[in-house]
Amino acid sequence: MVHTWDPERYLTYADERGRPFAELVARIGATSPSTVVDLGCGPGNLTALLAQRWPGAEVVGLDSSVEMVEKARATTPAVQFRVQDLREWAWAPSSDRIDVIVSNATLQWVPEHLELMESLVARLRPGGWLAFQVPGNFDEPSHTIRAELAAQEPYAAHTAGASHPDSHDPVVYLDALQRLGCEVDAWETTYLHVLRGDDPVFTWVSGTGARPTLQALPDHLRPGFEEEFKRRLRAAYPSRDGRVVLPFRRIFVVARVGAGS
């Protein structure tokens, strides 16, 4: 089943989701790039920051979600946005070379995305930059509870083929990109997001990691699944004085292609 994205739900925690992007881009040393591509641009609010950082560059945002691109075009008209799968873009024959490629919280949705590194590096000019960030929290209750519940009946028959995100440790990306001749800066950070509202962790994951599972369920089963999911998340992430702390590990990689590449 092909799932769809809801830009408004995704933007519920826009500040928390945007902070890793800002910290990733701050480590890119490009001064005056001509071309910047944002792979998995989502609703475009963060792509706009790339246009602000490099006002002289042609900035292009790509996303496979029609809904996300429509939102991006409506809110950020100064940037070019296209509906395109990043794998198709990476693998497409092209003589054009890019100065900066950015991908924020997207590659975890691409199975075997480590194999894409060579194609992405090949799309860069000598001295060009590849920067990406992926979640590294898939052993946390926000993900394990979803997987455990989805594997139970009566849900398992519907959720077995649902997409789920995955990523590697920083050293794996560092090794892969060094082998491709890049200078690599890789690190990880665990954020402690303080969330408020009713079932805030469910609100967070239902806009991202849990969305394919929820959409895979038929209408008559989804409410029961959601209520049990919320109950288990409340137990795993208790509220204190109306606040819930969500630990969130993220993995960052900034690589520069060698001048002789």
Side-chain angles (χ1 to χ4, degrees):
M1 158 174 195
V2 178
H3 61 275
T4 59
W5 295 101
D6 181 346
E8 300 305 326
R9 174 58 68 94
Y10 181 83
L11 288 168
T12 301
Y13 295 110
D15 288 345
E16 289 85 354
R17 298 191 197 280
R19 180 178 169 186
F21 180 89
E23 294 177 3
L24 174 72
V25 173
R27 295 293 295 168
I28 301 173
T31 54
S32 55
S34 298
T35 52
V36 177
V37 176
D38 185 3
L39 298 179
C41 62
N45 59 309
L46 299 177
T47 316
L49 300 180
L50 300 177
Q52 294 173 17
R53 164 81 183 271
W54 296 296
E58 177 188 18
V59 179
V60 179
L62 305 179
D63 203 287
S64 60
S65 167
V66 173
E67 296 82 5
M68 288 293 198
V69 170
E70 287 178 348
K71 177 71 172 180
R73 287 172 174 167
T75 57
T76 313
V79 175
Q80 298 180 46
F81 293 100
R82 298 202 303 266
V83 178
Q84 188 172 8
D85 187 291
L86 68 86
R87 289 166 292 191
E88 296 176 358
W89 182 85
W91 291 331
S94 176
S95 59
D96 296 334
R97 290 295 177 262
I98 312 300
D99 293 302
V100 179
I101 297 174
V102 178
S103 185
N104 184 64
T106 297
L107 291 176
Q108 74 274 10
W109 290 106
V110 180
E112 300 177 347
H113 61 263
L114 201 62
E115 298 177 3
L116 271 180
M117 295 297 125
E118 183 173 4
S119 296
L120 293 175
V121 168
R123 293 298 304 266
L124 290 164
R125 288 191 178 96
W129 298 79
L130 169 65
F132 61 89
Q133 176 268 127
V134 290
N137 65 333
F138 302 119
D139 57 353
E140 292 291 327
S142 55
H143 286 277
T144 60
I145 290 173
R146 174 202 54 78
E148 291 165 0
L149 185 57
Q152 297 175 6
E153 295 300 340
Y155 310 121
H158 305 282
T159 62
S163 300
H164 62 275
D166 198 11
S167 66
H168 302 281
D169 286 335
V171 67
V172 176
Y173 296 115
L174 182 144
D175 182 65
L177 287 163
Q178 283 184 335
R179 290 176 183 273
L180 294 171
C182 297
E183 298 176 2
V184 186
D185 180 12
W187 72 97
E188 63 180 75
T189 298
T190 297
Y191 298 89
L192 298 179
H193 296 305
V194 180
L195 310 180
R196 294 173 173 82
D198 296 331
D199 295 305
V201 178
F202 174 80
T203 299
W204 181 294
V205 300
S206 65
T208 51
R211 188 168 179 81
T213 297
L214 295 174
Q215 288 195 323
L217 292 167
D219 292 342
H220 71 283
L221 290 179
R222 191 177 304 112
F225 182 97
E226 290 184 349
E227 285 306 311
E228 179 60 16
F229 193 14
K230 290 177 182 178
R231 186 190 70 78
R232 297 187 188 190
L233 287 173
R234 285 195 295 267
Y237 301 95
S239 176
R240 295 184 176 88
D241 299 323
R243 294 173 294 183
V244 174
V245 176
L246 175 65
F248 203 120
R249 175 180 178 245
R250 292 186 182 271
I251 295 161
F252 299 79
V253 179
V254 176
R256 191 178 190 193
V257 178
S261 299

Coordinates of all heavy atoms in Angstrom, one line a residue, residues 1 11 27 33 43 65 71 77 81 106 127 137 170 186 203 229 246 255:
M1 N 0.8 -1.2 0.0 CA 0.0 0.0 0.0 C 0.9 1.2 0.0 O 1.9 1.3 0.7 CB -0.9 0.0 1.2 CG -1.4 1.3 1.7 SD -2.6 1.2 3.0 CE -3.3 2.9 2.9
L11 N 3.6 19.2 10.6 CA 4.1 20.5 11.1 C 3.6 20.8 12.5 O 4.0 21.9 13.0 CB 3.5 21.7 10.1 CG 4.2 21.7 8.8 CD1 3.4 22.6 7.8 CD2 5.7 22.2 8.9
R27 N 26.8 23.0 9.6 CA 28.1 22.3 9.4 C 28.5 22.3 8.0 O 29.6 21.7 7.7 CB 28.0 20.9 10.0 CG 27.8 20.9 11.5 CD 29.0 21.4 12.3 NE 30.2 20.6 12.0 CZ 31.5 20.9 12.4 NH1 31.7 22.1 12.9 NH2 32.5 20.1 12.2
P33 N 27.4 28.5 -3.2 CA 27.0 27.4 -4.2 C 26.0 28.0 -5.3 O 25.3 28.9 -5.0 CB 26.3 26.4 -3.3 CG 25.7 27.2 -2.2 CD 26.8 28.3 -1.9
P43 N 7.1 19.8 3.5 CA 6.2 20.9 3.3 C 7.0 22.2 2.9 O 6.4 23.3 2.8 CB 5.5 21.1 4.6 CG 6.4 20.5 5.6 CD 7.1 19.4 5.0
S65 N 5.9 13.0 -2.2 CA 4.5 13.2 -1.8 C 3.9 14.4 -2.5 O 4.4 15.5 -2.4 CB 4.5 13.5 -0.3 OG 3.2 14.0 0.1
K71 N 1.8 21.8 -0.6 CA 2.0 22.7 0.5 C 3.2 23.5 0.4 O 3.2 24.8 0.6 CB 2.1 21.8 1.8 CG 2.3 22.7 3.1 CD 1.1 23.5 3.5 CE 1.3 24.1 4.8 NZ 0.1 24.9 5.2
P77 N 7.0 30.2 -2.5 CA 7.0 30.3 -4.0 C 8.4 30.6 -4.6 O 8.6 30.4 -5.8 CB 6.0 31.4 -4.3 CG 6.0 32.2 -3.0 CD 6.2 31.2 -1.9
F81 N 9.9 23.5 -6.5 CA 9.5 22.2 -5.9 C 9.0 21.2 -7.0 O 8.2 21.6 -7.8 CB 8.5 22.4 -4.8 CG 9.0 23.1 -3.6 CD1 8.7 24.5 -3.5 CD2 9.8 22.5 -2.6 CE1 9.2 25.2 -2.4 CE2 10.2 23.2 -1.5 CZ 9.9 24.6 -1.4
T106 N 14.7 11.8 5.8 CA 14.1 11.2 4.6 C 14.7 9.9 4.3 O 14.0 8.9 4.0 CB 14.2 12.1 3.4 OG1 13.5 13.4 3.7 CG2 13.6 11.5 2.2
G127 N 34.5 19.0 -4.7 CA 34.4 20.0 -3.6 C 32.9 20.2 -3.1 O 32.7 21.0 -2.2
N137 N 16.4 6.3 16.5 CA 15.7 6.0 17.7 C 14.7 4.8 17.6 O 13.7 4.7 18.3 CB 14.9 7.2 18.2 CG 13.8 7.6 17.2 OD1 13.9 7.3 16.0 ND2 12.7 8.2 17.7
P170 N 26.3 6.1 13.0 CA 27.1 7.1 12.3 C 28.3 6.5 11.7 O 28.7 6.9 10.6 CB 27.5 8.1 13.4 CG 26.4 8.0 14.4 CD 26.0 6.6 14.4
A186 N 30.7 13.0 11.0 CA 29.5 12.2 11.4 C 29.4 12.3 12.9 O 30.4 12.1 13.7 CB 29.6 10.8 10.9
T203 N 0.6 12.0 18.7 CA 0.5 13.0 17.7 C 1.8 13.1 16.9 O 1.8 13.2 15.7 CB 0.2 14.4 18.3 OG1 -1.0 14.3 19.1 CG2 0.1 15.5 17.3
F229 N -2.7 1.9 21.2 CA -1.3 2.5 21.0 C -1.2 3.7 21.9 O -0.1 3.9 22.6 CB -1.3 3.0 19.5 CG 0.1 3.3 19.0 CD1 1.3 3.0 19.7 CD2 0.3 4.0 17.8 CE1 2.5 3.4 19.2 CE2 1.5 4.3 17.3 CZ 2.6 4.0 18.0
L246 N 10.1 13.3 25.4 CA 10.4 12.4 24.3 C 11.8 12.4 23.9 O 12.3 13.3 23.2 CB 9.5 12.7 23.1 CG 9.8 11.8 21.8 CD1 9.4 10.4 22.1 CD2 9.0 12.4 20.6
A255 N 29.4 15.4 4.4 CA 30.5 14.8 3.6 C 30.9 15.8 2.5 O 30.0 16.4 1.9 CB 30.2 13.5 3.0

